[in-house]
């Protein structure tokens, strides 16, 4: 299945989806085996295990190599997504405000939980760090001036991720300002993004080797404490995601729509299984669009909210990024100050956009955030690799649920939902027709989406919304 960004995702093909399931399942199992073997080697032959540390460092170096192009492409395309959403009036503007608020809230929750449980404390990961005194700003003035690169292209050859972010924002807003003249440039960036994520996908096939070396080295130095620390982080992350879905999203959903979050989760059960198999919420995008329309939300709301949410509504990714950052900092014996945590949060709000739909993008974004604010901690990402695969499902499931809830909320706020139908569908009174998505009738998408694709669906939704507004104005004038 091709890796693409939102607003340009292809129609989902059932047979390709099955192959993607098999591929990701094999990688998942390989990482699991590597983690178990690495922990065993670390406990049985600790000295030999410590000599395997370069395997983890080498994998992290490959991830670091991809930080600049990933940040550049996702930000430029993300700015384009903002521009598209902002042109569709009330729905797009409301969706963007909601997404930004919820992502920020999720990041803050991750920081709060991380500061309470202190995951990683007591681990001996300091050997993975390097002397980054030459890259740290001496003052606020130096920090701000350091964001400006010497030349336009030097940002991509240096080690400052903030310089790449600065250039990406300039390019993104400039391309949008060019209008139709900027369309070929945006298309070129999207093609580049496909290439970049394909390369990242190839690198991820080395994850078992990197995880084996990193876990073996840490367990060899620390012993059983390393396994306990990693387990604590995973358990805390999943508990935080569950609390966020039920406590935050569930409460908000019931307060606004009077719909039950557990009924919604049951309704989306097949999509959750698909996401678990592929570790990516992108695989369930066509089904989410079809099911949100079936539940009673209007096509304009679904066509605008769902694709936009796949770039901007990254609740699970936000929780993961902050908790993993605090784990690495504590594990390397260099906890982050409150100021550094706030700076990291602000960076993640921008840089995480577009990381939801692609397996492994969250890991690259994590490395990018640390490279920007604490480059001495980046090599600690090698330890996270061992459990990243186990946490990717939690990220994808939380992101997916957040987008489903957002669609229902936006539909309610804009009065473009049939509440009676929504209650009837979620209550099981009107089941979803799976024959539209089972591969025997179509290749995984509803008729409308199969015909025009996600981008066409979004454009059709915008056109339909504009037509409704025109008709409403005409009636008002009469």
């Amino acid at each position: 299945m091709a890796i693409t960004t939102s607003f340009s995702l292809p129609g989902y093909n059932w047979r390709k989806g099955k192959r993607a399931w098999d591929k990701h399942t094999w990688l998942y199992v390989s990482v699991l085996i590597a983690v178990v073997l690495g922990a065993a080697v670390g406990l049985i032959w600790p000295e030999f295990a410590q000599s395997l540390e370069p395997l983890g460092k080498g994998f992290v170096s490959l991830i670091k190599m991809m930080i600049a192009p990933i940040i550049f492409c996702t930000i430029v395309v993300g700015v384009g997504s903002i521009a598209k959403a902002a042109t569709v009036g009330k729905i797009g503007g409301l969706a963007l405000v909601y997404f930004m608020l919820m992502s920020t809230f999720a990041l803050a929750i991750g920081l709060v939980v991380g500061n309470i449980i202190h995951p990683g404390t007591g681990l001996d990961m300091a050997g993975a760090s390097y002397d980054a005194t030459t890259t740290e700003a001496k003052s606020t003035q130096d920090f701000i001036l350091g964001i400006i690169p010497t030349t336009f292209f030097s940002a991509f050859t240096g080690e400052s991720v903030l310089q790449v972010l600065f250039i990406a924002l300039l390019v993104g807003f400039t391309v949008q300002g060019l209008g139709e003249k900027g369309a070929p440039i945006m298309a070129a960036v999207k093609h580049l993004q496909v290439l970049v994520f394909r390369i990242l996908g190839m690198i991820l096939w080395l994850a078992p080797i990197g995880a084996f070396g990193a876990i073996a080295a840490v367990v060899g130095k620390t012993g059983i404490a390393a396994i306990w620390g990693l387990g604590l982080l995973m358990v805390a992350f999943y508990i935080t995601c569950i609390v966020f879905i039920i406590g935050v999203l569930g409460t908000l959903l019931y307060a606004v729509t009077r719909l039950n979050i557990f009924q919604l989760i049951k309704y989306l059960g097949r999509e959750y299984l698909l996401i678990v198999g592929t570790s990516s919420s992108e695989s369930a995008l066509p089904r989410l669009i079809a099911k949100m329309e079936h539940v009673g939300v209007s096509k304009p709301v679904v066509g605008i909210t769902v694709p936009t949410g796949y770039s901007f509504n990254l609740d699970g990714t936000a929780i993961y990024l902050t908790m993993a950052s605090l784990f690495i900092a504590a594990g390397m014996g260099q906890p982050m100050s409150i100021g550094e945590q706030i700076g990291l949060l602000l960076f993640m709000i921008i840089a995480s956009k577009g990381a939801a739909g692609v397996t492994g993008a969250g890991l690259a974004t994590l490395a990018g955030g640390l490279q920007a604010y604490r480059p001495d901690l980046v090599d600690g990402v090698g330890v996270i690799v061992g459990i990243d695969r186990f946490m990717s499902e939690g990220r994808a499931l939380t992101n997916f649920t957040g987008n489903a809830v957002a669609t229902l909320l936006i539909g309610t706020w804009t009065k473009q939902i049939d509440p009676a139908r929504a209650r009837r569908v979620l209550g099981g009174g009107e089941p979803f027709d799976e024959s539209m998505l089972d591969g025997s009738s179509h290749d995984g998408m509803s008729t409308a989406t199969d015909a025009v694709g996600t981008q066409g669906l979004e454009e059709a939704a915008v056109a339909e919304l504009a037509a409704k507004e025109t008709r409403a104005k005409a009636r008002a004038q009469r």
Side-chain angles (χ1 to χ4, degrees):
M1 182 173 59
I3 296 175
T4 56
T5 60
S6 55
F7 295 104
S8 58
L9 291 168
Y12 180 74
N13 183 282
W14 183 84
R15 295 176 182 84
K16 291 182 180 179
K18 186 177 185 298
R19 289 197 297 269
W21 179 299
D22 294 338
K23 179 180 68 175
H24 288 291
T25 301
W26 171 248
L27 182 58
Y28 183 96
V29 172
S30 299
V31 173
L32 174 62
I33 295 173
V35 169
V36 173
L37 290 177
V41 171
L43 292 173
I44 300 173
W45 301 292
E47 293 186 0
F48 170 71
Q50 294 180 44
S51 68
L52 298 175
E53 190 173 55
L55 294 177
K57 286 187 174 182
F59 180 77
V60 173
S61 295
L62 290 172
I63 295 293
K64 288 168 62 178
M65 176 183 72
M66 302 305 298
I67 290 175
I70 287 175
I71 294 297
F72 177 78
C73 292
T74 53
I75 295 302
V76 173
V77 175
V79 170
S81 301
I82 293 176
K84 285 187 177 182
T87 60
V88 297
K90 185 177 181 180
I91 295 176
L94 188 60
L96 284 175
V97 171
Y98 171 79
F99 292 155
M100 295 301 290
L101 288 176
M102 289 305 294
S103 293
T104 304
F105 187 63
L107 284 166
I109 287 178
L111 287 180
V112 171
V113 174
N115 280 286
I116 291 176
I117 65 173
H118 299 291
T121 301
L123 298 185
D124 185 7
M125 295 162 52
S129 63
Y130 65 93
D131 185 7
T133 55
T134 58
T135 63
E136 295 178 352
K138 297 293 190 294
S139 65
T140 303
Q141 175 179 311
D142 292 336
F143 176 79
I144 295 175
L145 292 177
I147 297 176
I148 304 174
T150 304
T151 67
F152 184 90
F153 295 102
S154 65
F156 300 95
T157 59
E159 295 186 353
S160 175
V161 178
L162 291 178
Q163 290 183 357
V164 178
L165 182 65
F166 177 71
I167 292 295
L169 289 172
L170 287 179
V171 172
F173 285 113
T174 302
V175 170
Q176 288 305 316
L178 291 174
E180 293 184 0
K181 293 182 179 179
I185 302 175
M186 182 62 72
V189 175
K190 289 183 178 181
H191 286 303
L192 176 62
Q193 187 178 44
V194 173
L195 172 65
V196 167
F197 279 120
R198 282 291 179 88
I199 296 174
L200 178 63
M202 294 170 62
I203 292 174
L204 289 177
W205 280 102
L206 298 176
I209 298 176
F212 172 76
I215 296 296
V218 172
V219 174
K221 293 178 182 179
T222 311
I224 198 69
I227 301 175
W228 168 254
L230 291 170
L232 176 63
L233 175 62
M234 285 194 296
V235 171
F237 171 72
Y238 271 95
I239 290 176
T240 303
C241 288
I242 292 172
V243 170
F244 182 83
I245 290 174
I246 298 175
V248 178
L249 295 180
T251 301
L252 187 58
L253 179 66
Y254 184 79
V256 175
T257 68
R258 288 297 186 266
L259 297 175
N260 190 302
I261 187 68
F262 295 104
Q263 290 181 333
L264 177 62
I265 292 174
K266 181 180 179 181
Y267 175 65
L268 299 173
R270 293 200 179 192
E271 289 67 44
Y272 288 136
L273 291 176
L274 182 60
I275 291 171
V276 169
T278 60
S279 297
S280 172
S281 56
E282 179 191 284
S283 59
L285 171 62
R287 295 182 62 94
L288 178 61
I289 291 173
K291 282 201 165 183
M292 287 297 100
E293 291 181 3
H294 177 72
V295 88
V297 184
S298 69
K299 285 187 178 182
V301 172
V302 175
I304 294 167
T305 305
V306 174
T308 308
Y310 262 66
S311 279
F312 289 90
N313 196 29
L314 314 177
D315 303 329
T317 303
I319 295 172
Y320 162 81
L321 290 174
T322 47
M323 291 186 67
S325 298
L326 293 180
F327 171 85
I328 292 172
M332 299 183 74
Q334 303 176 56
M336 303 179 74
S337 66
I338 297 298
E340 289 172 333
Q341 292 181 30
I342 294 175
L344 181 67
L345 183 147
L346 295 175
F347 176 87
M348 293 299 187
I349 289 175
I350 301 174
S352 62
K353 305 315 175 200
V358 183
T359 302
L363 191 66
T365 305
L366 170 64
L370 293 176
Q371 180 72 24
Y373 282 90
R374 288 291 299 275
D376 55 315
L377 300 178
V378 177
D379 285 342
V381 173
V383 179
I384 291 293
V385 172
I387 61 172
D388 178 76
R389 296 294 305 177
F390 307 113
M391 300 170 74
S392 62
E393 283 82 4
R395 295 197 302 265
L397 291 172
T398 306
N399 292 337
F400 182 80
T401 305
N403 283 319
V405 171
T407 305
L408 294 171
L409 294 177
I410 301 299
T412 302
W413 285 328
T414 57
K415 296 186 166 114
Q416 297 196 47
I417 184 176
D418 184 344
R421 178 181 175 84
R423 286 190 290 271
R424 188 167 63 251
V425 170
L426 295 185
E430 192 169 335
F432 180 74
D433 185 5
E434 290 290 341
S435 66
M436 296 295 293
L437 296 169
D438 64 1
S440 60
S441 174
H442 296 280
D443 283 339
M445 298 188 71
S446 64
T447 303
T449 312
D450 199 33
V452 298
T454 304
Q455 183 176 5
L457 178 63
E458 186 237 351
E459 292 173 353
V462 173
E464 184 176 340
L465 178 62
K468 284 186 177 181
E469 292 178 348
T470 300
R471 289 194 295 270
K473 290 180 180 178
R475 286 195 298 267
Q477 291 175 353
R478 289 198 299 267

